[in-house]
Amino acid sequence: MTHPSRLRLPLRLTALFTALAVAASAHAATPDPAKTRAYIDKAWTTLTRTQDQCSALGDPKIATHPVLYVPARMAVPAALVETGKRCGVEIRPLPRAIERLGDIDATKLPAQGLLYLPHPYVVPGGFFNEMYGWDSYFIVLGLAADQRGKLARDMVDNALFEVEYYGAVLNANRTYYLSRSQPPFLTAMMKTVLDDPDAFAGDAQRNEWLTHAYPLAVRNHDIWTREEHQAGDTGLARYYDLGDGPVLEAQNSEDFYLKVIKWLRAHPKDDPGYLLKGAKEPDDAEAARLKKASCDVRASKVCLGNWYDGYRLTADYYHGDRAMRESGYDTNFHFGPFGGSTHHYASVDLNSLLYRYELDLAEFAKRLGKNDEAQRWTQAAAARKAAMDKYLWQPEEGMYRDYDFVAKKPSPYPYINTFYPLWAGAASPQQAAAVRGKLAIFERRGGLSMDNQPSGVQWNDPFGWAPTNWLAVKGLDDYGFHDDARRLAGKFAATVDRGLADDGTIREKYNMATGNADVKVTAGYTENVIGFGWTNGVYLKLQEILQKQGTTPAKKPRATETAK
């Protein structure tokens, strides 16, 4: 996801969370899973958006008149035209049909806006008022666990709509995300709804849906095998945004890039080469040089303003910054300061997800009677696993490590994504046992931290997140480490319970050392957003782990119950 802080919550969402916080504060701050469950039950409705709601069409991240874009050559539904009039929103077609991700340069659009989606969707919360790529998988898991299969399928259908009309599952459905995707969970989302008895009327409808969805899932996979997404000659993939320069959504981000420059100037020994000298007000000759070496100061006010103490940021840094946002780990110091070297890495997480994706495609193809395609996907997964074993598995460390294919060496530091191959089924039993043996590096009072390298940013120690905790817990459980899975599930669920008891809210991230929502970020993005879609979904899945293994889960409240 992307960030900026101090932005307005939609009024309805603000009112809900204020009421929940006031109600919680009226009682003793005693963690209670039943109250957490009640909060989640109510939050699903509050976090659901449809594009006939005026509140769903604005963008708290950018101060601009709201615009809703529809795919080129798509007939605008009459109801949408009426919504535009009622909400004061301009309805515009995109300038051309999109064949591949990146076909439209968002900087050339007359205004940034929301991208049309035909079905309801659940947003993360706070200023994240759109449907996000990898967030949606964990939300879909929660919806399915909560017997809300129709809404779960709506979200997957929206993701498929993005592939068909916008070129990929996007970072989120905003025009400024038309140059990047996010971690590829599409087939995992598809499997979740295919296995959900509430999502389809019967097997015939289920198979008809898969017939339509399968080629779109293949198309979405294709973006990760494009040259831009290749990690050198490793046979592995990398994150890479197809745009250049500072991201468009950064215009209200409180000088994020200036903070990067200032940090690098204060820590020159830690600068990997992200800075270059440049004038504050460049003349035409220098502007032409900076367009290649940094960014286009004539086209972007943000680019022009990204100057401090005689220095600007390099073009390569901006590519890394954009890739970091595609990875979802914004912001981290694992892939270089402020994630600025993300595009130099074949990451464990991305390639684990693609391994699982390819096996899912093989399963879908076989189900549709496409046996030759099934064999091709099985072979692709096997080739990826071999490359992962060659470049990512570090036997002397007993862990998977991200591989810097530019420097031709593995990352020297551990990261939580070492557990992704277990979730994906890519690890051998011996590899899984070795990774399990490294739990002490990550395990804290509140669950699993991102790593053991505190940096002050949100995707490093001591912070932990619902998605990474879930993928580790599920991977450990699938490989038979049930006691570890139950212990970690209990820790993270208890952290969410404590956070709710403290202030009446569920948050996007938590402090694993203290086991609560006391998150103090000193660099990068500082807000701990309220909501929160993926935390809600993961909490319900953790309860399933605890229930399966004999620990009493939080019960779903009756229809008359509310959060207290």
Side-chain angles (χ1 to χ4, degrees):
M1 286 179 306
T2 45
H3 50 279
S5 58
R6 292 199 312 179
L7 298 167
R8 301 181 303 277
L9 291 170
L11 292 179
R12 194 159 60 92
L13 188 60
T14 302
L16 167 71
F17 291 130
T18 300
L20 290 174
V22 170
S25 65
H27 297 265
T30 302
D32 184 349
K35 292 181 179 178
T36 305
R37 189 63 184 81
Y39 177 105
I40 292 171
D41 194 57
K42 190 169 184 178
W44 286 136
T45 300
T46 308
L47 294 170
T48 299
R49 301 285 181 269
T50 60
Q51 292 189 341
D52 61 358
Q53 300 170 333
C54 297
S55 62
L57 304 178
D59 187 356
K61 294 182 292 303
I62 291 183
T64 184
H65 183 77
V67 178
L68 177 63
Y69 285 92
V70 298
R73 298 194 294 271
M74 187 188 93
V76 180
L80 193 61
V81 174
E82 177 58 32
T83 297
K85 295 177 180 177
R86 174 168 50 86
C87 301
V89 173
E90 186 176 358
I91 310 296
R92 291 183 177 181
L94 288 170
R96 54 167 294 188
I98 295 174
E99 300 297 330
R100 303 204 311 171
L101 183 70
D103 276 356
I104 288 180
D105 181 352
T107 66
K108 302 298 192 295
L109 295 173
Q112 300 304 312
L114 187 69
L115 294 168
Y116 171 75
L117 293 176
H119 304 289
Y121 51 88
V122 176
V123 301
F127 51 76
F128 300 120
N129 196 34
E130 48 276 317
M131 179 172 148
Y132 279 81
W134 75 314
D135 292 64
S136 292
Y137 171 59
F138 303 97
I139 291 170
V140 164
L141 284 179
L143 292 171
D146 209 14
Q147 292 81 53
R148 299 172 189 260
K150 174 60 170 63
L151 183 53
R153 180 182 161 188
D154 281 341
M155 293 193 65
V156 181
D157 282 337
N158 280 335
L160 293 167
F161 185 91
E162 288 187 352
V163 177
E164 185 169 5
Y165 291 101
Y166 305 132
V169 176
L170 300 176
N171 187 152
N173 60 313
R174 297 281 181 191
T175 51
Y176 46 73
Y177 294 136
L178 282 169
S179 60
R180 67 175 178 266
S181 186
Q182 271 205 323
F185 282 100
L186 177 59
T187 57
M189 292 169 64
M190 291 168 60
K191 282 175 64 71
T192 300
V193 297
L194 284 168
D195 293 341
D196 190 321
D198 298 326
F200 298 93
D203 287 343
Q205 187 185 65
R206 187 175 282 108
N207 289 334
E208 181 182 0
W209 181 86
L210 181 60
T211 299
H212 169 74
Y214 168 73
L216 293 173
V218 172
R219 182 181 178 189
N220 190 64
H221 178 274
D222 288 346
I223 71 169
W224 301 103
T225 58
R226 287 171 58 171
E227 180 181 358
E228 298 92 339
H229 275 111
Q230 294 308 291
D233 60 1
T234 62
L236 298 170
R238 65 169 177 172
Y239 292 110
Y240 193 82
D241 183 306
L242 298 168
D244 298 297
V247 294
L248 289 173
E249 69 273 19
Q251 60 181 272
N252 289 348
S253 63
E254 294 187 321
D255 302 324
F256 170 79
Y257 292 116
L258 281 179
K259 293 176 182 178
V260 174
I261 299 173
K262 290 177 181 179
W263 188 93
L264 293 168
R265 291 294 294 139
H267 304 83
K269 293 182 179 179
D270 297 316
D271 176 13
Y274 298 166
L275 295 179
L276 79 163
K277 290 185 177 181
K280 184 176 183 179
E281 299 291 343
D283 59 22
D284 289 344
E286 184 171 8
R289 178 182 70 87
L290 290 173
K291 187 175 181 179
K292 294 182 178 180
S294 177
C295 54
D296 192 344
V297 297
R298 295 290 186 256
S300 169
K301 291 182 179 179
V302 175
C303 172
L304 179 62
N306 290 347
W307 177 95
Y308 173 75
D309 194 28
Y311 286 88
R312 293 184 172 276
L313 293 162
T314 64
D316 193 62
Y317 164 78
Y318 285 121
H319 282 300
D321 173 69
R322 285 172 167 269
M324 172 196 69
R325 297 162 195 271
E326 184 172 71
S327 78
Y329 298 142
D330 51 332
T331 301
N332 72 82
F333 269 55
H334 178 71
F335 296 100
F338 298 93
S341 298
T342 300
H343 61 316
H344 292 178
Y345 282 87
S347 71
V348 175
D349 48 286
L350 175 57
N351 287 283
S352 299
L353 297 179
L354 288 172
Y355 172 81
R356 170 76 171 264
Y357 197 117
E358 287 153 356
L359 289 183
D360 289 342
L361 288 176
E363 179 184 327
F364 296 157
K366 186 174 182 180
R367 185 168 177 171
L368 294 171
K370 301 176 182 291
N371 293 328
D372 288 346
E373 291 188 30
Q375 183 177 9
R376 178 168 65 86
W377 289 119
T378 300
Q379 291 170 346
R384 188 173 302 277
K385 184 185 184 317
M388 290 172 65
D389 286 342
K390 178 177 180 179
Y391 291 103
L392 306 182
W393 175 248
Q394 305 300 320
E396 67 281 1
E397 302 290 343
M399 301 176 69
Y400 292 90
R401 293 279 180 89
D402 305 297
Y403 183 75
D404 183 339
F405 66 91
V406 176
K408 299 189 182 303
K409 62 181 181 180
S411 169
Y413 304 114
Y415 209 49
I416 192 71
N417 61 9
T418 192
F419 293 98
Y420 276 56
L422 279 64
W423 175 86
S428 69
Q430 295 77 20
Q431 288 169 326
V435 170
R436 179 259 176 192
K438 303 299 180 180
L439 275 171
I441 294 173
F442 306 93
E443 188 170 353
R444 311 284 187 270
R445 180 194 181 209
L448 294 175
S449 178
M450 291 301 298
D451 59 12
N452 60 355
Q453 301 291 316
S455 66
V457 301
Q458 61 182 7
W459 287 95
N460 288 115
D461 188 60
F463 307 123
W465 299 70
T468 51
N469 270 264
W470 168 249
L471 295 172
V473 166
K474 185 64 166 65
L476 289 164
D477 197 48
D478 286 348
Y479 276 83
F481 303 113
H482 304 306
D483 289 344
D484 296 308
R486 180 176 59 188
R487 182 182 70 257
L488 294 168
K491 282 189 170 188
F492 195 83
T495 295
V496 177
D497 292 336
R498 282 190 291 271
L500 187 78
D502 287 343
D503 68 6
T505 66
I506 291 180
R507 303 280 178 157
E508 67 168 339
K509 56 183 173 285
Y510 291 88
N511 186 321
M512 297 292 93
T514 57
N516 57 28
D518 183 17
V519 172
K520 293 181 175 62
V521 176
T522 58
Y525 311 125
T526 59
E527 189 166 341
N528 194 6
V529 181
I530 296 170
F532 195 84
W534 66 16
T535 311
N536 300 347
V538 164
Y539 184 89
L540 298 180
K541 296 301 291 184
L542 295 175
Q543 293 291 338
E544 288 184 353
I545 294 284
L546 296 172
Q547 182 180 30
K548 181 176 68 173
Q549 303 194 25
T551 302
T552 302
K555 295 181 179 179
K556 181 176 181 178
R558 295 186 297 274
T560 56
E561 291 183 313
T562 58
K564 299 178 180 179

